[in-house]
Amino acid sequence: MKALKFLPLLLLFVFTSCSTVRVATDYDKEANFNQYRSFAFYKPGIDKAKISDLDKKRILRAIDANLSAKGMSKSETPDLLVSIFTKERERVDVYNNNFGYGWGWSPWYYGTYYGGSSVSRTTEGTLFIDLIDAKTNNLVWQGMGNADLVTSNMEKKEERIREIVAKILAEYPPGLKK
């Protein structure tokens, strides 16, 4: 009976863990991030991203909105070049919903029980956002976001992309207290 008290908490954890965005960042500690006030998209890098052109546009719009909200502007002579890279993989989760097997009797059941399990497949994507110093061509900041992807509903897909980009760029510039 005590186990049933924890069931709602367990279900909440399972459902929220599926929707989270896991973020990691890295940056050049020698870089002066105060000097970066403008950006442009680095087309050769973006062209290599192995996603649809529509998803690229969604990602670039989200990056533009986030960097603009931080006071940066798009420019023909930028301080930073923005590039993206993506990875995708299928995650398979097996949930064993059985408590064993065996022979038994109850008022409702008589016979052999063999339990069961269910398999869930989810597409998990990783988005890398690279910020490159335009003068030196050196990578100065990289953010990575890993999350489950939504592919069946375009509105939810766009919302999910905005969420992933926002969580990654929340870490830029480094060293700011939140």
Side-chain angles (χ1 to χ4, degrees):
M1 200 61 168
K2 287 184 180 180
L4 292 177
K5 290 181 183 178
F6 294 107
L7 187 60
L9 185 61
L10 178 64
L11 290 174
L12 177 67
F13 174 74
V14 168
F15 288 120
T16 57
S17 67
C18 293
S19 66
T20 60
V21 179
R22 294 165 303 283
V23 173
T25 61
D26 194 11
Y27 64 95
D28 180 355
K29 293 190 185 321
E30 307 267 323
N32 177 7
F33 290 94
N34 293 324
Q35 72 181 347
Y36 303 125
R37 303 200 186 287
S38 62
F39 68 95
F41 293 111
Y42 184 64
K43 188 169 174 18
I46 292 167
D47 287 344
K48 291 179 185 176
K50 294 180 181 175
I51 54 174
S52 76
D53 287 344
L54 292 172
D55 283 343
K56 285 179 190 177
K57 286 179 184 178
R58 291 178 181 107
I59 292 168
L60 297 181
R61 279 194 302 262
I63 292 171
D64 189 349
N66 275 272
L67 291 179
S68 295
K70 292 177 180 289
M72 297 183 74
S73 60
K74 262 183 160 174
S75 173
E76 293 292 322
T77 56
D79 300 321
L80 283 175
L81 298 172
V82 179
S83 186
I84 62 170
F85 177 77
T86 58
K87 286 185 183 178
E88 190 175 288
R89 73 179 181 95
E90 184 178 53
R91 188 178 80 211
V92 178
D93 295 315
V94 178
Y95 300 100
N96 289 318
N97 55 3
N98 61 333
F99 295 100
Y101 64 94
W103 187 86
W105 178 87
S106 74
W108 304 278
Y109 177 77
Y110 175 79
T112 306
Y113 171 69
Y114 289 106
S117 62
S118 63
V119 176
S120 166
R121 296 178 187 277
T122 308
T123 302
E124 190 174 70
T126 305
L127 171 64
F128 293 86
I129 300 175
D130 293 342
L131 301 181
I132 302 160
D133 186 300
K135 290 178 187 144
T136 64
N137 264 354
N138 289 328
L139 180 67
V140 292
W141 187 89
Q142 183 178 62
M144 176 195 78
N146 191 306
D148 293 340
L149 301 177
V150 176
T151 56
S152 59
N153 181 309
M154 290 307 116
E155 287 81 27
K156 287 183 179 180
K157 185 178 196 177
E158 180 121 17
E159 183 181 319
R160 186 67 168 158
I161 287 172
R162 284 194 306 262
E163 176 190 10
I164 293 167
V165 169
K167 292 216 174 164
I168 294 170
L169 289 176
E171 304 290 323
Y172 181 83
L176 288 183
K177 298 286 183 196
K178 293 179 187 57

